[in-house]
Amino acid sequence: MAWCSPDVKLLFVHALKKNEEMVAVTGYVTDDAHALHQADIGFAMGIRGTEVAKESSDIIILDDNFATLLNGGDLYIQIQFMQLQLTVNVVALTTNFMAAVFYGHVPLNAVQFLWVNLLIVALVPLSLVTKPPADELMPGLLVEPGQPPKRYAKWKRQIFQGVYQIVAILIINFQGQNLLKSYNRGHAIKVKNTMIFNTFVVCQIIHQMEARKKDILSKPKIWITSNYLFMGIAGTILISHFIIIEFLGKAFSTVALNQKEWQFSLTLGFVE
């Protein structure tokens, strides 16, 4: 078809669309403009393509390499994952709002929330986006034209995770002092807020792993080696978080936790 006349190309596109096929056309010369425009998806070459062909297309392949299109399948999965990041902000906002209304102060302060946004919302998604596309994605889920994004988003799982995190944090917030009766009131509040901060961070790390849980149980070795950047960043976050709680309490308004307190807050985070 590459050597056919523009009219024949256009006729071929119309025939396929009339047969309810999804039509994609590639081209780089001016004669390809009509077919590119009429197709469902038109791909123009960024280097060899003419300006007319580029303007008539939907997507421009900047390096003229069809292998670049393989990144599209993986990118769609990453876009789904980025939707899960809404949970972080919703949980923090809801927890602080309810604690402020019923208890008079917020458990998560600005410095702690900046830490979560820097490492959990920025670095972890970066490790996922930079992961090379997996071969099994191309024959996977196909997005039908005209379908709303909610059909492909994991909204039920996202809502469940958000509700669980809010409930777990509120349990610590409202029942925390009853669990810490051996401390005076002032120190008990500090320990309780530190446990909330600890649980919140751990929940987000588990939340990130949920986005790429494929083969984590059936093929753990392959999963770890193919996600080494993610595992490295997650491990760095956990170590840094431990150092913050145990040694940098003044900067983050936290206090050191004993073994029982660490175990309780980590359990609530990993149960998710």
Side-chain angles (χ1 to χ4, degrees):
M1 294 299 299
W3 299 105
C4 293
S5 66
D7 293 336
V8 174
K9 292 181 181 179
L10 188 60
L11 179 63
F12 189 53
V13 170
H14 287 163
L16 289 174
K17 294 185 69 173
K18 187 177 181 179
N19 199 33
E20 298 183 352
E21 298 285 352
M22 174 70 72
V23 184
V25 172
T26 62
Y28 62 93
V29 297
T30 303
D31 289 345
D32 296 329
H34 293 293
L36 288 170
H37 181 70
Q38 292 297 321
D40 293 299
I41 304 175
F43 295 95
M45 300 302 171
I47 299 176
R48 296 180 297 164
T50 63
E51 291 300 322
V52 176
K54 292 178 183 179
E55 292 178 1
S56 300
S57 65
D58 299 295
I59 298 175
I60 300 176
I61 305 176
L62 297 178
D63 56 359
D64 287 13
N65 186 2
F66 280 102
T68 306
L69 299 178
L70 295 177
N71 293 326
D74 195 60
L75 180 61
Y76 181 77
I77 301 300
Q78 306 307 339
I79 291 175
Q80 283 189 323
F81 163 77
M82 293 301 292
Q83 293 175 337
L84 301 179
Q85 299 301 324
L86 290 173
T87 307
V88 179
N89 295 309
V90 172
V91 170
L93 178 62
T94 304
T95 301
N96 278 354
F97 175 77
M98 296 185 67
V101 171
F102 296 103
Y103 209 72
H105 70 276
V106 294
L108 297 172
N109 59 40
V111 177
Q112 294 172 352
F113 194 57
L114 284 174
W115 161 256
V116 173
N117 273 276
L118 175 64
L119 295 181
I120 306 298
V121 182
L123 294 183
V124 173
L126 179 63
S127 70
L128 296 175
V129 173
T130 54
K131 178 181 179 293
D135 295 335
E136 66 270 13
L137 289 177
M138 295 308 293
L141 177 66
L142 297 179
V143 181
E144 298 178 4
Q147 293 296 329
K150 65 180 181 180
R151 177 180 176 182
Y152 304 98
K154 300 178 181 179
W155 294 113
K156 292 183 180 179
R157 180 62 181 172
Q158 184 176 355
I159 293 173
F160 170 78
Q161 289 175 326
V163 171
Y164 174 83
Q165 291 183 32
I166 292 172
V167 171
I169 292 175
L170 290 179
I171 288 175
I172 300 176
N173 186 72
F174 293 111
Q175 301 297 326
Q177 293 190 42
N178 296 331
L179 301 174
L180 305 169
K181 293 181 179 179
S182 59
Y183 299 122
N184 60 57
R185 177 178 173 81
H187 188 68
I189 292 177
K190 293 181 180 179
V191 173
K192 178 198 66 175
N193 290 343
T194 302
M195 292 173 62
I196 290 175
F197 179 46
N198 191 31
T199 301
F200 183 59
V201 171
V202 173
C203 280
Q204 306 320 315
I205 295 177
I206 301 300
H207 197 39
Q208 314 303 328
M209 295 182 67
E210 168 67 20
R212 39 173 45 190
K213 65 181 181 180
K214 182 179 178 60
D215 297 333
I216 190 173
L217 296 178
S218 60
K219 302 175 182 178
K221 292 183 179 180
I222 297 177
W223 188 92
I224 292 175
T225 55
S226 62
N227 295 275
Y228 65 92
L229 182 58
F230 171 80
M231 295 297 294
I233 292 179
T236 302
I237 291 174
L238 287 175
I239 295 173
S240 302
H241 184 66
F242 175 81
I243 295 174
I244 286 174
I245 291 181
E246 295 296 324
F247 305 105
L248 300 176
K250 291 184 178 180
F252 287 83
S253 301
T254 61
V255 294
L257 302 177
N258 58 34
Q259 182 177 354
K260 182 179 179 180
E261 294 158 358
W262 270 102
Q263 183 177 1
F264 180 77
S265 58
L266 290 177
T267 300
L268 284 177
F270 281 112
V271 163
E272 183 193 16

